[in-house]
Amino acid sequence: MKNNSILISDCSLRDGNHAVKHQLSIDQIAEYCEGADRAGLDIIEVGHGYGLGASSSAFGISKVGDEAMLKVAREKCKQSMLGIHFVPGVGKHSELDMAIDIGVDVFRVASHCTESNITYRSIGYLKRKEKIVFGVLIMSHMADADRLLNEALGMQSAGADGIILMDSAGYSTPDIVGEKVSTLKNNLSVKVGYHAHNNLGLAVANSVVAAESGASIIDATIKGFGAGAGNAQLEAVVAVLERYGYSMNLKFQDLIDLSSYAERNIIARIPDIKTINIMTGMYGLFTGYGPYIQKISSDFGVNIFELCERLAKRRLVASQEDIIIEEASRLAKSTD
Ligand SMILES: C[C@H](O)CC(=O)C(=O)O
């Protein structure tokens, strides 16, 4: 047994909310949290797919409001820590206060991977409230290892207890993961974590490489339930990490029961890798863009590959849907 232990952060009730257009019900959240707590999952992340305060016409209205979701999750998470995703500007500090009052344990404060300075104020605020805070770098394939390290150092100085790299487009290959995670691990004094997406079928492998490169927080979701092609499948990640000799606090039988519960009651469609997911993965486009790119390419009657290629050249980040319309319209005109 290796003496390093891994913290499993279960994002099923947050990233999975993308997969059901933020329509998880209060009963689904309550029952899932009960099972996840029983299985010994370290952190259970709950909320709208885009995080605290995101329910809106821009990001999608969630079935259940933040406060109700967090209250029921808090009641059911007896041992597990309760986590949230927070992007400053999407959510407000008044919403952080609400989450603090409800008793959220882990605050994951996120920004695009080159814009981490927008997180410093929230990280500092939460540390003064004595919360566990992870800085999260979204779309981490869009910056090289040195740039990610600089961004992570800034978050660490602001007070973050850990830094999570998100492979939001499912673009990264194991060599890239290894280089980026080990650069952070070797130069930071806080924990490093990894959040994989499965666009190219590499999410479990990438998570294991992240652990082998020094990550001690691994994000995963039950049955891979998450945006686009989904995330690293939690049950599989745990099985492989155990085989590699990592210690985790999990009860595997309860985890399998949780997986069956989720398949029967929560996951309308088990994630698979569709062509659009491969395209967003290949071109490094935010995985949540998939359905929108499909719709716009069909509305404008343009080739979806050409559209993805153009979008990749524009290096668009999350929440830049307008550029998809702009490029589709240009492409339509150029092929008239
Ligand atoms: C807001 C995004 O869904 C965060 C995430 O899970 C990712 O970028 O990946």
Side-chain angles (χ1 to χ4, degrees):
M1 178 74 73
K2 295 187 186 183
N3 57 13
N4 37 341
S5 64
I6 298 274
L7 209 67
I8 298 288
S9 189
D10 177 357
C11 310
S12 309
L13 296 180
R14 199 276 306 162
D15 215 316
N17 227 339
H18 280 297
V20 291
K21 298 196 164 65
H22 320 290
Q23 296 307 298
L24 288 178
S25 72
I26 205 85
D27 287 348
Q28 288 171 323
I29 293 167
E31 288 163 10
Y32 185 89
C33 284
E34 217 162 35
D37 187 72
R38 196 178 312 120
L41 283 155
D42 298 296
I43 303 172
I44 303 174
E45 195 183 329
V46 176
H48 185 286
Y50 287 99
L52 195 68
S55 180
S56 60
S57 51
F59 292 111
I61 309 274
S62 40
K63 186 180 183 93
V64 182
D66 289 328
E67 192 168 356
M69 280 194 260
L70 294 176
K71 275 189 173 154
V72 74
R74 179 67 288 165
E75 194 189 304
K76 300 294 178 187
C77 294
K78 309 256 189 261
Q79 307 294 330
S80 304
M81 290 186 278
L82 175 59
I84 56 160
H85 181 80
F86 178 76
V87 182
V90 172
K92 302 191 289 288
H93 272 211
S94 55
E95 287 153 337
L96 282 182
D97 287 335
M98 175 269 290
I100 293 169
D101 289 346
I102 290 172
V104 169
D105 305 292
V106 179
F107 291 75
R108 299 167 46 114
V109 183
S111 74
H112 181 67
C113 63
T114 54
E115 314 302 319
S116 64
N117 55 342
I118 69 158
T119 65
Y120 297 171
R121 184 170 157 256
S122 310
I123 292 174
Y125 181 73
L126 290 161
K127 281 319 293 177
R128 287 193 293 282
K129 302 277 180 184
E130 299 183 348
K131 294 289 150 192
I132 299 170
V133 186
F134 296 154
V136 175
L137 295 170
I138 294 178
M139 300 285 278
S140 64
H141 69 286
M142 292 182 79
D144 65 18
D146 289 342
R147 178 65 190 264
L148 291 173
L149 175 61
N150 272 328
E151 300 287 334
L153 284 167
M155 287 170 143
Q156 176 178 277
S157 301
D161 303 292
I163 306 295
I164 316 282
L165 293 182
M166 283 193 166
D167 186 24
S168 313
Y171 170 91
S172 302
T173 45
D175 53 327
I176 296 175
V177 177
E179 188 207 354
K180 290 181 174 177
V181 171
S182 55
T183 300
L184 264 57
K185 175 68 190 166
N186 295 336
N187 294 285
L188 294 174
S189 53
V190 297
K191 288 180 193 297
V192 178
Y194 201 75
H195 175 100
H197 275 277
N198 203 34
N199 299 57
L200 301 177
L202 291 169
V204 172
N206 282 345
S207 303
V208 174
V209 169
E212 288 289 276
S213 308
S216 54
I217 306 161
I218 296 295
D219 285 4
T221 62
I222 214 84
K223 297 255 170 218
F225 185 46
N231 298 87
Q233 184 169 350
L234 201 155
E235 311 87 304
V237 169
V238 166
V240 182
L241 289 177
E242 260 191 27
R243 176 99 66 83
Y244 271 68
Y246 291 95
S247 63
M248 285 159 289
N249 298 321
L250 288 158
K251 299 183 203 92
F252 201 71
Q253 183 55 54
D254 288 327
L255 195 60
I256 295 307
D257 293 346
L258 179 66
S259 171
S260 310
Y261 163 78
E263 184 167 1
R264 276 184 275 110
N265 300 293
I266 297 188
I267 308 177
R269 180 184 71 78
I270 304 287
D272 61 345
I273 305 174
K274 303 211 177 308
T275 308
I276 183 66
N277 305 131
I278 296 177
M279 284 192 284
T280 50
M282 268 170 66
Y283 288 108
L285 299 168
F286 181 60
T287 198
Y289 279 155
Y292 196 65
I293 294 175
Q294 279 179 305
K295 177 182 180 316
I296 298 299
S297 74
S298 132
D299 288 355
F300 283 82
V302 295
N303 180 290
I304 197 163
F305 279 100
E306 283 180 57
L307 179 58
C308 286
E309 206 173 346
R310 279 170 176 251
L311 296 174
K313 283 196 186 121
R314 295 285 301 266
R315 292 181 61 77
L316 76 169
V317 304
S319 306
Q320 289 189 311
E321 275 83 352
D322 286 359
I323 297 182
I324 302 176
I325 299 183
E326 192 183 306
E327 282 302 330
S329 144
R330 282 196 187 146
L331 186 56
K333 283 186 193 131
S334 74
T335 50
D336 266 351

